[in-house]
């Protein structure tokens, strides 16, 4: 995937891009044909089992080695589909390890080649080029990204959907939807347990330092006959550790494929009391047989792989094979929704349940993670210009900040995910443009008003003093993301995919919003992220999805230098810093993603969060806009000021730090003193502010004041100061 630093291409660059695209096409076709030939030339189950084990081993090391290259979930999905495009050839003898290794190398080359196919379409029109690049990014995401939700989020969503469609589902399928989900979860657990046991068994003999110890570890637990046969074969070579290892490893590979076999009876036992025949019928419908994948399927394999929604392989009447439980787990919600989509009654019911659940989930997240906010659903108001009654899904007022959330539960169609232009434009209109228009309308209503506004809501009346509002944050919250394009609206405008005049709000899934709220520990940080998130989209050109942006925020709080003209921030892939540790930390109840911050800043933010003085969110934003270098500089000056005042009681000390450029220019001043009464304190604050204004050249600033001797408080005064006047006391 290329990322251009500008939107124009020279003739030479166009020719080079087109040539690279032609090479990518040839590489793509060559590797795909070689993969299919290799997989269908011998028993593909043996190759799939080995590939799946390689994937499992890589996933097991992701947290400690997040940058390690290797098989991805989508790689094994493609291998499985290619295997099912031909008949099964059961060969007892074959060089399965070599074929597996060749397949791993080929599938990586194939995926890389796919990402370059779009270059064939580059031409002289910069808008079309931008569009093709964004569509290529979306297609790459659709092909490669699995797990748009964390596992616990998928399970929570499924529980709610099962409960909501229960009656209709049972009427159509003859079994409970929760039973189907339980069986599929049970299959994932069963295969996972088998693979873990196998991995533990491997660890029991592979690391041994001698061939003799290796043999003893290998045969432990085998039948006497099996153990005696292996020991007899290896007896002459028992002191050749490398030879023993190779022999035992080759022998152990015969265990791989059986790990992934299971029967309908094993699955039915997970849901006792359920109609077994109906259960089997549903499971049969989630399986493919050999030769079920057609040549037409292969043409769209990377963007519409039938294996994703039918991950099981049907071997015979009662026998199944599943080599990719990771794919089953990440696609579980989509599999369930596809089942519901087969009948009008379950499809309609599911759509209603999705919409209701999304609003309730959103309301619950805000109530849990912004407890200081006054939060309301279904906020109704009348536009005085046209007399229309409008409604916003969720509005939260916290301090001087108003947050407007518009929730859209519509699904992203397959063609839209694959980059079909009209479908993609339609999805962007429904999920990005229209809800942005709605929240922008309410934002204008608040900003143009005077006095207290009255809104009718599901929770009663909501009052907003328009004159007190300092920040209005807008967020579109969806169920399904349009890949990384959800975070790309300025580029979507440049590519002609959304109207250039639209005032677009940031768009993220409810699952991504939950992750943002859980990863960030303070209410101030959560509001600051959403506020800066909107500004960041306007100020920077970048390539990222929402969790990439969250990872970047943890590093920088978006406090970065203004972007160079025509440059692009490549943030894609940073989300691995969160994804690799998030689930494990959450399971222990110890979510902790540290942000670089001085001790003084931690105390100040914690005190604001605790005391919540009027304007506390705005004060917090200014603190969070300080770079680590700016924090350290100011903290060093505070320490020097305390020493100076301690040496000369009654002395007054002040200093300030200014950081950032342009609109991001920010000044934080402080003063330390021992004033005699409020009048002298006010004079000192005014002097400190005027001095900082002269030095920093800013029109407003945040000022902190500490008494001497120290009171032990994080601050004794905090306020936003503007030239020629003081702000209110806090």
């Amino acid at each position: 995937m290329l990322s251009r630093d500008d939107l124009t291409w020279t003739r030479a660059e166009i020719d080079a891009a087109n040539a690279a695209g032609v090479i990518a096409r040839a590489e793509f076709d060559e590797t795909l044909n070689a993969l299919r030939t290799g997989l269908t030339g011998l028993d593909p189950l043996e190759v799939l089992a080995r590939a799946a084990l390689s994937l499992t081993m890589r996933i097991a090391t992701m947290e400690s080695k997040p940058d390690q290259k290797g098989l991805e979930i989508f790689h094994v999905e493609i291998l499985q589909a290619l295997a099912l495009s031909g008949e099964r050839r059961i060969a007892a003898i074959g060089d399965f390890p070599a074929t597996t290794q060749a397949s791993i190398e080929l599938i990586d080359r194939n995926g890389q080649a796919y990402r370059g196919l779009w270059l064939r379409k580059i031409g002289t029109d910069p808008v079309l080029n931008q569009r093709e690049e964004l569509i290529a990014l979306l297609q790459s995401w659709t092909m490669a990204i699995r797990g748009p939700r964390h596992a616990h989020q998928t399970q929570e969503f499924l529980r709610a959907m099962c409960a909501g469609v229960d009656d209709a589902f049972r009427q159509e399928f003859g079994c409970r939807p929760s039973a189907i989900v339980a069986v599929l979860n049970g299959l994932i657990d069963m295969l996972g347990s088998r693979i873990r046991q196998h991995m533990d068994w491997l660890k029991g003999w592979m690391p041994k330092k001698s061939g003799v110890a290796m043999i003893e570890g290998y045969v432990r637990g085998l039948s006497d006959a099996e153990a005696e046969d292996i020991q007899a074969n290896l007896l002459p070579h028992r002191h050749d550790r490398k030879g023993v290892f190779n022999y035992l490893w080759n022998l152990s590979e015969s265990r791989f494929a059986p790990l992934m076999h299971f029967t309908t009876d094993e699955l039915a036992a997970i849901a006792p009391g359920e109609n077994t025949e109906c259960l089997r019928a549903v499971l049969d419908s989630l399986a493919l047989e050999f030769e079920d994948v057609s040549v037409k399927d292969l043409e769209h394999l990377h963007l519409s792989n039938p294996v994703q929604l039918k991950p099981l392989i049907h071997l015979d009447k009662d026998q199944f094979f599943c080599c990719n439980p990771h794919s089953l787990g990440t696609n579980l919600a989509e599999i369930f929704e596809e089942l519901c989509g087969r009948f009008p009654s379950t499809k309609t019911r599911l759509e209603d349940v999705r919409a209701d659940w999304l609003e309730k989930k959103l309301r619950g997240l805000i109530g849990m993670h912004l407890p200081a906010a006054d939060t309301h659903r279904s906020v109704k108001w009348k536009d005085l210009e046209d007399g229309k009654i409008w409604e916003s899904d969720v509005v939260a007022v916290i301090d001087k900040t108003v947050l407007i959330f518009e929730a859209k539960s519509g699904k992203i169609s397959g063609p839209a995910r694959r980059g079909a232009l009209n479908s993609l434009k339609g999805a962007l209109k429904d999920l990005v443009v229209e809800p942005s228009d709605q929240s922008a309308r309410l934002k204008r209503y608040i900003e143009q008003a005077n006095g207290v506004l009255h809104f009718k809501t599901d929770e009663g009346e909501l009052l907003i003093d328009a004159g007190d509002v300092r920040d209005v944050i807008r967020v579109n919250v969806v169920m399904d993301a349009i890949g990384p394009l959800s975070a790309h609206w300025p580029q979507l405008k440049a590519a002609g995919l959304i109207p250039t005049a639209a005032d677009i709000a940031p768009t993220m899934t409810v699952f991504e919003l939950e992750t943002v709220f859980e990863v960030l520990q303070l209410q101030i940080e959560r509001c600051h992220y959403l506020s800066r998130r909107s500004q960041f989209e306007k100020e920077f050109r970048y390539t990222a999805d929402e969790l990439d942006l969250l990872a970047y925020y943890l590093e920088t709080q978006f406090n970065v230098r203004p972007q160079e003209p025509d440059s692009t921030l490549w943030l894609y892939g940073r989300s691995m810093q969160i994804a690799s540790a998030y689930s494990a930390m959450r399971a222990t109840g110890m979510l902790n993603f540290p942000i670089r911050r001085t001790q003084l800043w931690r105390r100040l933010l914690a005190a604001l969060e605790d005391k919540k003085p009027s304007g506390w969110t705005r004060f917090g934003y200014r603190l969070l806009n300080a770079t680590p270098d700016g924090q350290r500089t100011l903290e060093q000056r505070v320490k020097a000021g305390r020493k100076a005042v301690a040496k000369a009681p009654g002395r007054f000390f002040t200093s300030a730090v200014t950081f950032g450029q342009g609109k991001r220019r920010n000044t934080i001043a402080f003063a330390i003193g021992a004033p005699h009464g409020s009048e002298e304190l006010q004079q000192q604050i005014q002097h400190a502010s005027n001095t900082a204004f002269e030095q920093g050249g800013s029109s407003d600033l945040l000022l902190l004041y500490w008494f001497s001797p120290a009171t032990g408080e994080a601050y004794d005064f905090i306020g936003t100061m503007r030239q020629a006047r003081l702000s209110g006391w806090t």
Side-chain angles (χ1 to χ4, degrees):
M1 182 72 190
L2 290 179
S3 183
R4 292 280 304 170
D5 286 344
D6 55 49
L7 301 180
T8 60
W9 296 69
T10 66
R11 183 72 256 174
E13 289 172 331
I14 292 171
D15 291 342
N18 293 159
V22 170
I23 293 172
R25 177 80 245 186
E27 171 82 348
F28 178 80
D29 291 339
E30 177 188 342
T31 52
L32 198 67
N33 290 331
L35 280 165
R36 191 181 182 209
T37 299
L39 284 163
T40 57
L42 41 77
D43 189 351
L45 298 190
E46 292 291 341
V47 178
L48 290 175
R50 287 163 172 77
L53 191 64
S54 176
L55 170 65
T56 299
M57 294 174 72
R58 192 189 75 80
I59 290 175
T61 60
M62 277 181 61
E63 186 172 344
S64 58
K65 301 177 181 179
D67 297 327
Q68 181 179 357
K69 302 297 182 182
L71 279 179
E72 303 284 352
I73 293 174
F74 85 94
H75 286 145
V76 181
E77 290 173 346
I78 293 175
L79 293 176
Q80 182 172 330
L82 289 169
L84 292 173
S85 68
E87 63 179 343
R88 182 186 179 189
R89 298 185 182 182
I90 303 177
I93 300 175
D95 195 347
F96 300 120
T99 302
T100 303
Q101 184 56 42
S103 296
I104 291 173
E105 294 171 359
L106 285 167
I107 197 65
D108 181 60
R109 286 171 53 195
N110 181 261
Q112 294 298 327
Y114 181 86
R115 292 180 173 92
L117 297 182
W118 73 283
L119 293 169
R120 295 172 300 159
K121 301 179 181 180
I122 291 301
T124 57
D125 188 330
V127 175
L128 292 180
N129 291 343
Q130 174 81 337
R131 183 182 300 171
E132 290 298 337
E133 182 172 11
L134 287 178
I135 289 175
L137 179 63
L138 172 62
Q139 291 174 336
S140 178
W141 187 91
T142 300
M143 172 182 70
I145 300 301
R146 294 294 174 268
R149 298 165 299 272
H150 300 292
H152 73 278
Q153 292 173 328
T154 295
Q155 296 302 323
E156 178 190 354
F157 172 72
L158 282 171
R159 285 193 296 271
M161 298 305 105
C162 286
V165 305
D166 186 71
D167 290 340
F169 193 97
R170 281 192 290 175
Q171 186 172 351
E172 300 291 359
F173 290 93
C175 56
R176 291 172 298 126
S178 57
I180 296 297
V181 172
V183 166
L184 295 177
N185 276 322
L187 173 59
I188 295 169
D189 292 341
M190 180 176 72
L191 295 177
S193 176
R194 289 179 182 178
I195 293 172
R196 284 192 297 274
Q197 289 177 17
H198 181 77
M199 300 291 285
D200 290 341
W201 174 74
L202 290 176
K203 293 175 184 176
W205 63 267
M206 287 176 61
K208 299 298 184 182
K209 295 183 178 180
S210 72
V212 173
M214 204 175 288
I215 296 168
E216 291 175 351
Y218 187 98
V219 302
R220 191 174 294 118
L222 299 181
S223 67
D224 291 343
E226 288 178 298
E228 289 173 4
D229 184 52
I230 292 171
Q231 289 170 328
N233 287 332
L234 286 176
L235 182 63
H237 314 286
R238 63 189 183 278
H239 298 301
D240 177 7
R241 185 188 181 282
K242 184 176 180 180
V244 169
F245 177 88
N246 291 336
Y247 180 90
L248 293 178
W249 176 257
N250 291 335
L251 196 62
S252 73
E253 288 194 323
S254 64
R255 293 187 174 201
F256 293 174
L259 294 174
M260 299 161 193
H261 284 258
F262 56 93
T263 67
T264 52
D265 287 340
E266 286 178 295
L267 296 186
I270 297 171
E274 204 64 39
N275 185 315
T276 303
E277 291 307 313
C278 292
L279 201 61
R280 290 187 179 195
V282 175
L283 291 172
D284 283 344
S285 74
L286 299 179
L288 294 170
E289 298 183 2
F290 284 93
E291 298 185 282
D292 273 357
V293 176
S294 67
V295 173
K296 185 176 181 180
D297 291 328
L298 294 181
E299 293 175 3
H300 307 286
L301 190 59
H302 292 69
L303 298 183
S304 184
N305 191 336
V307 163
Q308 291 175 17
L309 298 180
K310 295 187 176 184
L312 312 182
I313 297 177
H314 209 168
L315 301 179
D316 58 37
K317 182 176 180 295
D318 294 312
Q319 293 281 333
F320 292 89
F321 182 86
C322 180
C323 67
N324 199 351
H326 304 290
S327 175
L328 174 56
T330 57
N331 292 311
L332 194 55
E334 286 70 25
I335 291 170
F336 178 77
E337 290 185 314
E338 189 277 329
L339 284 173
C340 291
R342 295 178 187 179
F343 299 98
S345 60
T346 48
K347 180 181 180 181
T348 301
R349 181 62 187 144
L350 183 68
E351 290 171 352
D352 293 340
V353 173
R354 276 170 58 101
D356 186 56
W357 182 83
L358 174 58
E359 282 199 26
K360 289 180 179 177
K361 175 69 174 178
L362 175 58
R363 173 67 177 83
L365 284 178
I366 297 167
M368 177 181 295
H369 297 287
L370 296 176
D374 184 15
T375 306
H376 293 256
R377 283 178 66 189
S378 301
V379 178
K380 300 176 182 66
W381 54 283
K382 183 177 182 179
D383 192 328
L384 299 179
E385 292 184 5
D386 57 20
K388 288 185 178 180
I389 302 297
W390 299 97
E391 181 176 333
S392 291
D393 293 321
V394 180
V395 175
V397 181
I398 179 169
D399 186 42
K400 298 179 182 293
T401 297
V402 176
L403 299 103
I404 306 170
F405 298 90
E406 296 295 341
K408 291 293 181 181
S409 62
K411 284 191 65 62
I412 310 298
S413 69
R417 289 187 187 279
R418 296 191 288 272
L421 188 58
N422 289 336
S423 297
L424 180 57
K425 282 186 173 181
L428 290 168
K429 178 176 179 290
D430 293 342
L431 302 179
V432 177
V433 178
E434 290 184 353
S436 292
D437 288 345
Q438 179 78 333
S439 61
R441 191 177 294 113
L442 178 55
K443 179 181 179 181
R444 288 194 300 272
Y445 179 72
I446 294 171
E447 290 178 340
Q448 294 171 5
N450 293 310
V452 177
L453 299 173
H454 297 253
F455 300 89
K456 293 181 179 179
T457 80
D458 283 358
E459 284 86 359
E461 189 174 40
L462 168 63
L463 304 179
I464 297 178
D465 186 344
D468 202 37
V469 174
R470 294 292 179 269
D471 197 13
V472 179
I473 299 170
R474 303 154 52 226
V475 184
N476 301 327
V477 181
V478 296
M479 292 284 278
D480 299 330
I482 313 175
L485 301 194
S486 300
H488 277 240
W489 69 255
Q491 288 151 279
L492 294 175
K493 285 185 176 182
L497 294 174
I498 60 176
T500 55
D503 184 2
I504 301 298
T507 301
M508 62 188 74
T509 69
V510 69
F511 308 106
E512 290 166 337
L513 179 64
E514 181 176 41
T515 302
V516 168
F517 279 177
E518 288 190 338
V519 166
L520 301 178
Q521 300 297 303
L522 300 175
Q523 295 182 71
I524 295 172
E525 290 172 336
R526 294 162 188 152
C527 292
H528 182 256
Y529 176 86
L530 296 178
S531 178
R532 285 290 295 128
R533 170 75 171 72
S534 177
Q535 297 165 10
F536 192 76
E537 279 195 7
K538 296 175 183 177
E539 296 169 2
F540 287 83
R541 174 182 166 87
Y542 57 83
T543 300
D545 61 25
E546 194 62 47
L547 296 190
D548 294 322
L549 290 171
L550 176 58
Y552 194 54
Y553 180 86
L554 291 174
E555 294 176 23
T556 67
Q557 286 85 77
F558 296 143
N559 297 323
V560 291
R561 291 180 177 276
Q563 193 167 26
E564 294 294 327
D566 300 326
S567 64
T568 297
L569 274 174
W570 186 265
L571 306 178
Y572 212 41
R574 286 176 184 252
S575 59
M576 286 302 299
Q577 301 169 29
I578 296 173
S580 61
Y582 174 89
S583 294
M585 286 197 292
R586 192 180 190 280
T588 63
M590 296 292 290
L591 268 175
N592 182 25
F593 289 87
I595 296 175
R596 278 201 307 157
R597 195 167 285 162
T598 67
Q599 186 62 36
L600 173 61
W601 247 248
R602 292 192 185 95
R603 290 192 66 215
L604 290 170
L605 289 168
L608 287 174
E609 192 97 354
D610 180 50
K611 296 180 179 180
K612 298 179 180 60
S614 177
W616 63 284
T617 56
R618 299 290 295 168
F619 301 153
Y621 294 172
R622 288 177 179 263
L623 290 172
L624 290 170
N625 287 340
T627 63
D629 287 343
Q631 294 175 33
R632 283 191 293 270
T633 299
L634 191 134
E635 185 161 358
Q636 289 168 359
R637 294 183 184 180
V638 169
K639 291 178 180 178
R642 288 191 184 280
K643 289 180 180 178
V645 173
K647 290 179 180 178
R651 181 180 175 185
F652 170 67
F653 185 95
T654 184
S655 185
V657 175
T658 299
F659 35 82
Q661 300 176 23
K663 294 180 181 179
R664 304 292 302 139
R665 192 172 180 82
N666 187 19
T667 297
I668 297 180
F670 74 91
I672 301 171
H676 299 286
S678 60
E679 184 176 344
E680 185 177 354
L681 173 62
Q682 187 167 351
Q683 290 172 354
Q684 291 180 351
I685 289 174
Q686 183 70 68
H687 174 73
S689 301
N690 291 337
T691 302
F693 285 137
E694 292 173 4
Q695 294 175 351
S698 56
S699 60
D700 58 25
L701 55 83
L702 181 71
L703 187 131
L704 297 154
Y705 190 102
W706 287 281
F707 293 131
S708 181
T711 62
E713 297 290 338
Y715 60 83
D716 296 302
F717 167 85
I718 187 170
T720 301
M721 318 304 293
R722 292 178 175 81
Q723 283 192 353
R725 70 180 181 89
L726 289 175
S727 71
W729 293 77
T730 61

